[in-house]
Structure formats: structure tokens, C-alpha cells
Amino acid sequence: MAKTIVGVGDPKAIKKFSAFLAVDVGRKSYFNKKFMGVGEEAQTPLQTLPHLEKDAGDQISYDLVMQLKMKPIQGDQNLRGNEEDLKFYTDGLYIDQLRGGVNTGGKMSRKRTIHDMRKIARVRQSEWWARLFDETLFMYLSGARGINADFIEGSDFTGYAGNAFVAPDALHILYGGQATSKNTVTAADKLSLITIDKAKSRAETMGGGTSGVPEIQPCEIDGEPHFVLVMHPWQEYDLRNDTSSGQWLDIQKAAAGAEGRSSPMFRGGLGMHNNVILHSHKGVVRFSDYGGGSNVSAGRALFLGRQAGVVAFGSPGTGLRFDWHEEMEDRGNQIVITTSSIFGVKKTAFTINGTSRDFGVIAVDTACKDPTT
């Protein structure tokens, strides 16, 4: 009986599995399925800028237009010559290619058809890409690599494509408990609802108007403003075990009754407090050198508004965000499947009057220790 075989390197397979890989990564990536939208008008913490998916180039620039601060002209006084100029501040990111691959082994060790190998390679590599993508976003939004031992990139990692990490400026970082700086954090300065309230208060009052500091914009869900806080599971433990009466129950009630709770930003969340949607993820960046003795374990929760970070992709020529390549090695004995993606990631920050200012994220640094040790 005749059987159709789609061989190694067949264009139909490459196109098909490139598309499958893109879909798989989108579904598995934590940030992609919850907090990412397309274009600068997206009401999400992360915004995908699609400009380079069809056009040539390796850099995207995007602008911040500051609010007007001119005083009004009264009565019949002359306005001509007293108009205010629009002030633009520009940020940008570069994209570059990253690649990964699997070797399916020799003919005697595979014991499966090539189609099985393609499926297994797609599943394993989609998991790898989603993990790499999420870890990259956590590091860039945090402005630091941290000490997370399970990250793909090592502790000396400083970024991709020449997009350097940007540390939080003084206005865009808060500390848990009574701490006011990295050196004053103690083991008792854990994440609490009070800390979340402080972050929300700062977000709502910092900047805007004539201050020259960008104002953090909330994400709108069904017309209602919300912020997002992503904490480490150890910070979640501290929050859950806060001894103040009824705190965790109040969080659950707030989420259950919220408008727009069907939004992806709510799904899988811990709850909501003061219109801040709470999430937990082990990818939150951790440190081990806080406190006066540089020996306090800490975590950097991320308080996110709109456009906290941007992501850009470049198509490899197929119109897709991922490319799939197959080839035979060892004189036809081994099948090697390589996947690649051209992208860049950056926390949104603008240099205003000589000072770098974050735009949509506040770092919330608190004590963060493994509760099982």
C-alpha cells in the first residue's frame, strides 16, 4: 500500500511545524497568555511592537510625549509666541536571533518515525522557548539577573541584542516593612498588604502634570483601572500567612466580585486587593545580599501598569515568529531539528532631564526566604 512520506527538510513540514511552534509557545508562555497585547495602545503591562515582522531592520524606537504644563493665557493677552512645544522622549530596543536545537539520535536509537520525532521536538522546544521568553522578561522588567538557580542563562548574563538591563530608578522602587533601602531590609520586612497599598499609592500620585516624571498608567479592564503585582511563591507564602485577621479572605472576595474577572489578567491569579490583581510565579528575580550584612534573602515583586515592557519580533522570512529547520548529519544517520526566533525585550524607560525613569513598573523588594528551610 502506497504511503506518503514527508521527508527531512520538506517545505510543507517546515512551514507547518513553525506555525505549531509559535502557537505552542504563545500558549505556554506565562507573560504571553496573560499580560501581552499588540501595539502601543494595548491595555496590558507588556506590548508587542510588530513593526519589524514585515519590515527590514533590527531596531524599534518608541516615544513618550510629556503632558503640557503651560500656564493659560488670560483675557485678550497675546497667545502667539507663548505656545508650548511638544516634548518627546525616545526609547528603543534591538532584536537579534536566538537558536536552539535537538539531535534525535541515530537510526538504531530512535525507534520512532520522523513524524514522532518532529512532534516530540516541537513539544520540548516549545517548552524551552516559553521558559526562555518568560525568564528574559522577568530579568528585563526587574533590571537584574538575580540568583535564581534554575534560569537558563547564568548569573553573569547581562541581556540580549545589546539591550542592557535598566535598574529601577529611586522613584520606581519600594521596600517591604520598615525598610527604606537595600541595606536596611531585614528578614522581618516581608510582603504584606500594606506594602501593596504603598505601591498603589505611589503609582497613583507619582509623576504627571508639571513634575517631569512619567505617570504610571493603569491597565483598563472593562473600563476599570487595574494594576498587576507578580510576586514570588515565597512572598505569596508570607502574604497568605500574615496574622492580620481576614486579609486573605478579603483578597479572594475582591477577585470573585470584580468586573472584568474573565480577563486573561485575572485568570490563574491569587486574588485582588485595592484594584491590584495579584499573581505568583517562581520566575520572580531573587537576591541574597540584602541587609546591613549583605546576607538577607530578598525577592523583587513587580508592580505593573501599562507598557511596563515592550517586545519586538522579526520574521525569519516565513511570516512567522519562529523558524524550523531540519537536516541530516553523520551521513544521513542523525536527524537534527533546529528552531530559532528573532526578538528583543526591554523594560520601558526614558531619559528625562538626564535621569533614566521607568515608565510602567515599580520594583517591590522584600525579604523572601524559602519557608521550608
Side-chain angles (χ1 to χ4, degrees), residues 177-354:
Q178 302 301 312
T180 57
S181 67
K182 174 180 177 178
N183 291 337
T184 59
V185 173
T186 70
D189 294 320
K190 302 175 181 179
L191 183 65
S192 67
L193 294 187
I194 293 176
T195 308
I196 298 172
D197 286 335
K198 287 180 180 178
K200 171 78 178 302
S201 176
R202 178 169 292 188
E204 290 185 327
T205 58
M206 176 178 57
T210 62
S211 66
V213 177
E215 183 178 4
I216 295 181
Q217 301 296 318
C219 306
E220 287 194 8
I221 303 175
D222 288 353
E224 294 295 323
H226 290 83
F227 293 98
V228 175
L229 180 73
V230 185
M231 67 191 78
H232 192 273
W234 298 345
Q235 292 173 313
E236 175 193 350
Y237 176 88
D238 293 333
L239 191 63
R240 284 180 180 271
N241 288 275
D242 193 308
T243 56
S244 300
S245 153
Q247 289 202 88
W248 192 254
L249 180 60
D250 291 341
I251 289 172
Q252 301 300 303
K253 286 179 179 178
E259 295 290 334
R261 59 186 177 276
S262 61
S263 164
M265 278 190 275
F266 273 93
R267 293 174 195 159
L270 305 174
M272 185 173 69
H273 171 70
N274 196 10
N275 273 4
V276 180
I277 305 168
L278 307 179
H279 283 266
S280 175
H281 195 284
K282 70 174 185 176
V284 166
V285 168
R286 295 185 294 107
F287 305 94
S288 60
D289 59 347
Y290 277 45
S294 298
N295 58 355
V296 175
S297 298
R300 177 162 291 172
L302 298 173
F303 185 93
L304 305 172
R306 272 189 62 201
Q307 201 178 339
V310 291
V311 180
F313 288 91
S315 173
T318 61
L320 298 168
R321 291 177 176 175
F322 291 88
D323 197 23
W324 182 282
H325 179 75
E326 301 172 357
E327 60 186 339
M328 301 294 295
E329 292 189 357
D330 190 21
R331 303 196 177 194
N333 187 50
Q334 298 178 2
I335 301 169
V336 178
I337 297 175
T338 303
T339 56
S340 62
S341 182
I342 301 173
F343 73 93
V345 172
K346 196 172 186 295
K347 177 172 67 171
T348 308
F350 299 94
T351 300
I352 301 173
N353 298 327

Side-chain angles (χ1 to χ4, degrees), residues 145-155 232 282-287:
R145 162 59 176 84
I147 62 165
N148 301 53
D150 57 343
F151 277 9
I152 292 171
E153 293 288 1
S155 58
H232 192 273
K282 70 174 185 176
V284 166
V285 168
R286 295 185 294 107
F287 305 94

Side-chain angles (χ1 to χ4, degrees), residues 30-41:
Y30 174 74
F31 280 103
N32 191 296
K33 65 186 177 183
K34 292 182 183 296
F35 306 131
M36 194 170 293
V38 178
E40 296 183 32
E41 299 303 317

